[in-house]
Coordinates of all heavy atoms in Angstrom, one line a residue:
F1 N -1.1 7.9 13.1 CA -0.8 6.7 12.3 C -2.1 6.0 11.9 O -3.2 6.2 12.5 CB 0.0 5.7 13.0 CG -0.7 4.9 14.1 CD1 -1.2 3.7 13.9 CD2 -0.9 5.5 15.4 CE1 -1.9 3.0 14.9 CE2 -1.5 4.8 16.4 CZ -2.1 3.6 16.1
H2 N -2.1 5.2 10.9 CA -3.1 4.3 10.5 C -2.5 2.9 10.2 O -1.2 2.8 10.0 CB -3.9 4.8 9.3 CG -4.9 5.8 9.6 ND1 -4.6 7.2 9.7 CD2 -6.2 5.8 9.9 CE1 -5.6 7.9 10.0 NE2 -6.7 7.0 10.1
T3 N -3.3 1.9 10.1 CA -2.7 0.5 9.8 C -3.4 -0.1 8.6 O -4.5 0.3 8.2 CB -3.0 -0.4 11.0 OG1 -4.4 -0.6 11.2 CG2 -2.3 0.1 12.3
I4 N -2.6 -0.9 7.9 CA -3.2 -1.7 6.8 C -3.8 -3.0 7.4 O -3.1 -3.8 8.0 CB -2.1 -2.1 5.8 CG1 -1.4 -0.8 5.3 CG2 -2.6 -2.9 4.7 CD1 -0.2 -1.1 4.4
E5 N -5.1 -3.1 7.3 CA -5.8 -4.2 8.0 C -5.8 -5.5 7.0 O -6.2 -5.4 5.9 CB -7.2 -3.8 8.3 CG -7.4 -2.6 9.2 CD -6.9 -2.9 10.6 OE1 -6.8 -4.1 11.0 OE2 -6.5 -1.9 11.3
P6 N -5.2 -6.6 7.5 CA -5.2 -7.8 6.7 C -6.5 -8.2 6.1 O -6.7 -8.6 5.0 CB -4.6 -8.9 7.6 CG -3.8 -8.1 8.6 CD -4.6 -6.8 8.8
S7 N -7.6 -8.2 7.0 CA -8.9 -8.7 6.5 C -9.5 -7.8 5.5 O -10.3 -8.3 4.7 CB -9.8 -8.9 7.7 OG -10.0 -7.6 8.4
M8 N -9.2 -6.5 5.5 CA -9.8 -5.6 4.6 C -9.0 -5.2 3.4 O -9.5 -5.1 2.3 CB -10.2 -4.3 5.4 CG -11.2 -4.5 6.5 SD -11.3 -2.9 7.5 CE -11.8 -1.8 6.2
H9 N -7.7 -5.1 3.6 CA -6.9 -4.5 2.5 C -5.9 -5.5 1.8 O -5.4 -5.1 0.7 CB -6.0 -3.4 3.1 CG -6.9 -2.4 3.8 ND1 -6.6 -1.9 5.1 CD2 -8.0 -1.7 3.4 CE1 -7.5 -1.0 5.5 NE2 -8.3 -0.9 4.5
F10 N -5.6 -6.6 2.4 CA -4.6 -7.5 1.7 C -5.1 -8.1 0.4 O -6.2 -8.6 0.4 CB -4.1 -8.6 2.7 CG -3.1 -8.2 3.7 CD1 -3.1 -6.9 4.2 CD2 -2.3 -9.1 4.3 CE1 -2.2 -6.5 5.1 CE2 -1.4 -8.8 5.2 CZ -1.3 -7.5 5.7
V11 N -4.3 -8.0 -0.6 CA -4.6 -8.7 -1.9 C -4.2 -10.2 -1.7 O -3.0 -10.5 -1.6 CB -3.9 -8.1 -3.1 CG1 -4.0 -9.0 -4.3 CG2 -4.4 -6.7 -3.3
T12 N -5.1 -11.1 -1.7 CA -4.9 -12.5 -1.6 C -5.1 -13.2 -2.9 O -5.7 -12.6 -3.9 CB -5.8 -13.1 -0.6 OG1 -7.2 -12.9 -1.0 CG2 -5.7 -12.4 0.8
P13 N -4.7 -14.4 -3.1 CA -5.0 -15.1 -4.4 C -6.5 -15.2 -4.7 O -6.9 -15.0 -5.9 CB -4.4 -16.5 -4.1 CG -3.3 -16.3 -3.1 CD -3.8 -15.2 -2.2
E14 N -7.3 -15.3 -3.7 CA -8.8 -15.2 -3.9 C -9.2 -13.9 -4.4 O -10.1 -13.8 -5.3 CB -9.5 -15.6 -2.6 CG -9.3 -17.0 -2.1 CD -7.9 -17.2 -1.4 OE1 -7.3 -16.2 -1.0 OE2 -7.4 -18.4 -1.4
R15 N -8.7 -12.8 -3.8 CA -9.1 -11.5 -4.3 C -8.5 -11.1 -5.7 O -9.1 -10.3 -6.4 CB -8.6 -10.4 -3.2 CG -9.5 -10.4 -2.0 CD -9.0 -9.6 -0.9 NE -10.0 -9.5 0.2 CZ -9.7 -9.0 1.4 NH1 -8.5 -8.5 1.7 NH2 -10.6 -9.0 2.3
I16 N -7.4 -11.7 -6.0 CA -6.9 -11.5 -7.4 C -7.9 -12.0 -8.4 O -8.1 -11.4 -9.4 CB -5.5 -12.3 -7.5 CG1 -4.4 -11.5 -6.7 CG2 -5.1 -12.3 -9.0 CD1 -3.1 -12.2 -6.7
R17 N -8.5 -13.2 -8.1 CA -9.4 -13.8 -9.0 C -10.8 -13.0 -8.9 O -11.4 -12.7 -10.0 CB -9.7 -15.2 -8.7 CG -8.5 -16.1 -8.9 CD -8.8 -17.6 -8.8 NE -9.2 -18.0 -7.4 CZ -8.3 -18.4 -6.5 NH1 -7.0 -18.5 -6.9 NH2 -8.6 -18.7 -5.3
E18 N -11.2 -12.6 -7.7 CA -12.5 -11.9 -7.6 C -12.5 -10.6 -8.3 O -13.5 -10.2 -8.9 CB -12.8 -11.8 -6.1 CG -14.1 -11.1 -5.8 CD -14.4 -11.0 -4.3 OE1 -13.5 -11.4 -3.5 OE2 -15.5 -10.5 -4.0
Y19 N -11.4 -9.8 -8.2 CA -11.4 -8.5 -8.7 C -10.6 -8.4 -10.0 O -10.3 -7.3 -10.5 CB -10.8 -7.5 -7.7 CG -11.5 -7.5 -6.3 CD1 -10.8 -7.6 -5.1 CD2 -12.9 -7.5 -6.3 CE1 -11.4 -7.6 -3.9 CE2 -13.5 -7.5 -5.0 CZ -12.8 -7.6 -3.9 OH -13.5 -7.6 -2.7
D20 N -10.2 -9.5 -10.6 CA -9.5 -9.5 -11.9 C -8.2 -8.7 -11.8 O -7.9 -7.9 -12.8 CB -10.4 -9.1 -13.0 CG -11.6 -9.9 -13.1 OD1 -11.6 -11.1 -12.9 OD2 -12.7 -9.4 -13.4
I21 N -7.4 -8.8 -10.7 CA -6.2 -8.0 -10.6 C -5.2 -8.6 -11.5 O -4.9 -9.9 -11.5 CB -5.7 -8.0 -9.2 CG1 -6.8 -7.3 -8.3 CG2 -4.4 -7.3 -9.0 CD1 -6.5 -7.4 -6.8
G22 N -4.5 -7.8 -12.3 CA -3.5 -8.4 -13.2 C -2.6 -7.3 -13.9 O -2.6 -6.2 -13.5
I23 N -1.9 -7.8 -14.9 CA -1.0 -6.9 -15.6 C -1.7 -5.7 -16.2 O -2.8 -5.7 -16.7 CB -0.3 -7.7 -16.8 CG1 0.5 -8.8 -16.2 CG2 0.5 -6.8 -17.7 CD1 1.1 -9.8 -17.3
G24 N -1.0 -4.5 -16.0 CA -1.5 -3.3 -16.4 C -2.3 -2.5 -15.4 O -2.6 -1.3 -15.6
D25 N -2.7 -3.1 -14.3 CA -3.4 -2.4 -13.2 C -2.5 -1.3 -12.6 O -1.3 -1.5 -12.4 CB -3.9 -3.3 -12.2 CG -5.1 -4.1 -12.6 OD1 -5.8 -3.6 -13.5 OD2 -5.5 -5.1 -12.0
D26 N -3.1 -0.1 -12.3 CA -2.3 1.0 -11.7 C -1.9 0.7 -10.3 O -2.6 0.0 -9.5 CB -3.2 2.2 -11.7 CG -3.5 2.8 -13.1 OD1 -2.6 2.6 -14.0 OD2 -4.6 3.3 -13.4
T27 N -0.7 1.1 -9.9 CA -0.2 0.9 -8.6 C 0.3 2.2 -8.0 O 0.5 3.2 -8.7 CB 1.0 -0.1 -8.6 OG1 2.1 0.5 -9.4 CG2 0.6 -1.4 -9.1
M28 N 0.5 2.2 -6.7 CA 1.0 3.4 -6.0 C 1.9 3.0 -4.9 O 1.5 2.1 -4.1 CB -0.2 4.2 -5.4 CG 0.2 5.5 -4.7 SD -1.3 6.4 -4.2 CE -1.9 5.4 -2.9
M29 N 3.1 3.5 -4.8 CA 4.1 3.1 -3.8 C 4.4 4.3 -2.9 O 4.6 5.4 -3.4 CB 5.4 2.6 -4.4 CG 6.5 2.3 -3.4 SD 7.9 1.5 -4.2 CE 8.6 2.8 -5.2
L30 N 4.3 4.1 -1.6 CA 4.6 5.1 -0.6 C 5.8 4.8 0.2 O 5.9 3.8 0.8 CB 3.4 5.3 0.4 CG 2.1 5.8 -0.2 CD1 1.3 4.7 -1.0 CD2 1.2 6.3 1.0
G31 N 6.8 5.7 0.1 CA 8.0 5.4 0.8 C 8.9 6.6 1.0 O 8.4 7.8 1.0
R32 N 10.2 6.4 1.2 CA 11.1 7.4 1.6 C 12.0 7.8 0.5 O 12.9 7.1 0.1 CB 11.9 6.8 2.8 CG 12.8 7.7 3.5 CD 13.4 6.9 4.6 NE 14.2 7.7 5.5 CZ 14.7 7.1 6.6 NH1 14.5 5.9 6.9 NH2 15.5 7.9 7.4
L33 N 11.9 9.1 0.1 CA 12.8 9.6 -0.9 C 13.9 10.3 -0.2 O 13.7 11.3 0.4 CB 12.0 10.6 -1.9 CG 12.9 11.3 -3.0 CD1 13.4 10.2 -3.9 CD2 12.0 12.3 -3.7
I34 N 15.1 9.8 -0.4 CA 16.3 10.3 0.3 C 16.5 11.8 0.0 O 16.3 12.2 -1.2 CB 17.5 9.5 0.0 CG1 17.3 8.0 0.3 CG2 18.8 10.0 0.7 CD1 17.0 7.7 1.8
D35 N 16.9 12.6 0.9 CA 17.1 14.0 0.8 C 15.8 14.8 0.7 O 15.8 16.0 0.8 CB 18.0 14.4 -0.4 CG 19.3 13.8 -0.3 OD1 19.9 13.7 0.8 OD2 19.9 13.4 -1.3
R36 N 14.6 14.1 0.7 CA 13.3 14.8 0.7 C 12.4 14.0 1.6 O 11.2 13.9 1.4 CB 12.7 14.9 -0.7 CG 13.4 15.9 -1.6 CD 13.3 17.3 -1.2 NE 11.9 17.8 -1.1 CZ 11.6 19.0 -0.7 NH1 12.4 19.8 -0.1 NH2 10.3 19.3 -0.7
D37 N 13.0 13.4 2.7 CA 12.2 12.5 3.6 C 11.6 13.2 4.8 O 10.9 12.6 5.6 CB 13.0 11.3 4.0 CG 14.3 11.7 4.8 OD1 14.5 12.9 4.9 OD2 15.0 10.8 5.3
G38 N 11.9 14.5 5.0 CA 11.3 15.2 6.1 C 12.2 15.5 7.2 O 12.0 16.4 8.0
V39 N 13.4 14.8 7.3 CA 14.4 15.0 8.4 C 13.8 14.9 9.8 O 13.9 13.9 10.4 CB 15.2 16.4 8.2 CG1 16.3 16.4 9.2 CG2 15.7 16.5 6.8
Q40 N 13.1 15.9 10.3 CA 12.6 15.9 11.6 C 11.2 15.3 11.7 O 10.6 15.2 12.8 CB 12.6 17.4 12.2 CG 14.0 18.0 12.3 CD 14.9 17.2 13.2 OE1 14.4 16.7 14.2 NE2 16.2 17.2 12.9
R41 N 10.7 14.9 10.6 CA 9.3 14.3 10.6 C 9.2 13.4 9.3 O 9.8 13.7 8.3 CB 8.3 15.4 10.5 CG 6.8 14.9 10.7 CD 5.9 16.1 10.9 NE 4.5 15.7 11.0 CZ 3.9 15.1 12.1 NH1 4.7 15.0 13.2 NH2 2.7 14.8 12.1
N42 N 8.5 12.3 9.4 CA 8.3 11.4 8.3 C 7.4 12.1 7.3 O 6.3 12.4 7.6 CB 7.7 10.1 8.8 CG 8.5 9.4 9.8 OD1 9.7 9.8 10.1 ND2 8.0 8.3 10.4
V43 N 7.9 12.3 6.1 CA 7.2 12.8 5.0 C 7.3 11.9 3.8 O 8.2 12.0 3.0 CB 7.7 14.3 4.6 CG1 6.8 14.8 3.5 CG2 7.7 15.2 5.8

C-alpha cells in the first residue's frame, strides 16, 4: 500500500490559486470497475 499525504498531495484553496487549478485541467480517477475488480485481489 501507499498513502495520500495531506501535507504533500491535498489540493487546498491556497494550492488552487498557487498552481492555477481550474476548468479544463486533466483528471484521473482510480476505483473499482464491477466485474473487473480482481475478485481475489484489488485491481
Side-chain angles (χ1 to χ4, degrees):
F1 75 95
H2 281 85
T3 61
I4 302 175
E5 301 294 337
S7 61
M8 295 174 58
H9 304 130
F10 280 27
V11 171
T12 61
E14 295 75 23
R15 285 173 173 167
I16 289 175
R17 293 189 293 270
E18 182 180 359
Y19 304 134
D20 301 325
I21 298 171
I23 294 173
D25 282 341
D26 292 326
T27 63
M28 183 175 71
M29 177 169 69
L30 290 77
R32 184 178 189 174
L33 181 62
I34 303 301
D35 297 327
R36 292 291 299 173
D37 61 354
V39 185
Q40 297 300 324
R41 188 169 176 80
N42 301 350
V43 182

